[in-house]
Amino acid sequence: IIAKGFDATSIEEIAAAVEISRAGFFYHFPDKNSLARALIERQITEEAQMVDGFINRAAELSDDPLQQLLITLRFMAEAYTEVPGGYQGCILASATYQDRLFDAEVRAANRRALMAFRERFERMFRRVADVYPPREALDPADMADLVDSIIEGAIILARGMGDPTILTRQVLLARQLIKVAYLGS
């Protein structure tokens, strides 16, 4: 689904990939929208575990909120680097770009996933701004969306350019820009 897109991936291909019959697919999922909801819910859970793990590790390493944010981004960059063949993307981007293929429940689950990412990072940016007021007005929610936009955009760019290292480099660049925004040059 990530490689071809949701619409271009047939139920037969999905069933074959997990070594079940077409009937087996329909035993688990009444339709592709049900599969999409399940994939998004799994993405929400896995991303929360991963990012929360990074945030918690960063908090163990530093009491400074900016350093915690920067360490979290470093951990994320390292995680993307460790994926064999490069991080290929996520179901959230696919569901966003192909939203007309999905029912309202899938779109709502996708929004919930995006909001969870925003809320997690918005809290971090609020704590950073309390200690390091930025030189220019920076809305914490907008900063959280910026991080998500850089990650999602870098996934697309890495895939389009055939260079999986772009994602890691962009996350590290975002890290540098955040440091400048809150500490100055």
Side-chain angles (χ1 to χ4, degrees):
I1 292 171
I2 298 298
K4 290 179 65 176
F6 198 80
D7 192 37
T9 305
S10 70
I11 290 171
E12 290 78 13
E13 289 174 295
I14 296 166
V18 295
E19 300 177 347
I20 61 172
S21 67
R22 180 179 167 85
F25 173 88
F26 287 110
Y27 174 79
H28 295 286
F29 304 102
D31 55 31
K32 279 177 74 176
N33 270 295
S34 298
L35 172 64
R37 276 191 301 280
L39 291 171
I40 289 170
E41 293 301 334
R42 184 177 78 181
Q43 176 76 23
I44 291 169
T45 300
E46 289 177 355
E47 185 172 274
Q49 290 172 346
M50 179 185 77
V51 176
D52 286 345
F54 294 155
I55 291 169
N56 292 336
R57 282 179 55 207
E60 291 171 3
L61 296 172
S62 177
D63 293 330
D64 182 273
L66 179 58
Q67 289 306 312
Q68 290 173 0
L69 175 60
L70 298 174
I71 291 167
T72 298
L73 292 172
R74 170 72 67 182
F75 288 156
M76 291 176 74
E78 289 173 0
Y80 296 138
T81 302
E82 293 169 0
V83 176
Y87 188 75
Q88 298 299 309
C90 71
I91 189 65
L92 304 179
S94 183
T96 300
Y97 300 131
Q98 298 179 341
D99 68 328
R100 292 181 185 207
L101 299 175
F102 301 108
D103 63 22
E105 288 181 42
V106 172
R107 290 191 300 274
N110 196 46
R111 274 191 298 281
R112 202 170 53 255
L114 296 169
M115 289 303 297
F117 187 94
R118 174 191 282 172
E119 290 164 2
R120 188 172 282 109
F121 277 86
E122 181 180 359
R123 282 191 300 273
M124 294 181 82
F125 278 107
R126 285 193 187 287
R127 287 193 303 267
V128 169
D130 287 345
V131 177
Y132 300 96
R135 299 168 94 183
E136 301 288 329
L138 298 173
D139 180 81
D142 289 342
M143 292 301 293
D145 288 345
L146 176 72
V147 171
D148 198 17
S149 297
I150 288 170
I151 292 169
E152 296 299 335
I155 291 168
I156 294 166
L157 189 59
R159 197 159 166 181
M161 300 287 284
D163 181 358
T165 67
I166 288 174
L167 175 56
T168 299
R169 293 194 328 261
Q170 288 297 300
V171 171
L172 293 175
L173 179 58
R175 187 178 176 278
Q176 287 178 292
L177 295 174
I178 290 166
K179 194 184 304 185
V180 169
Y182 289 95
L183 292 177
S185 50

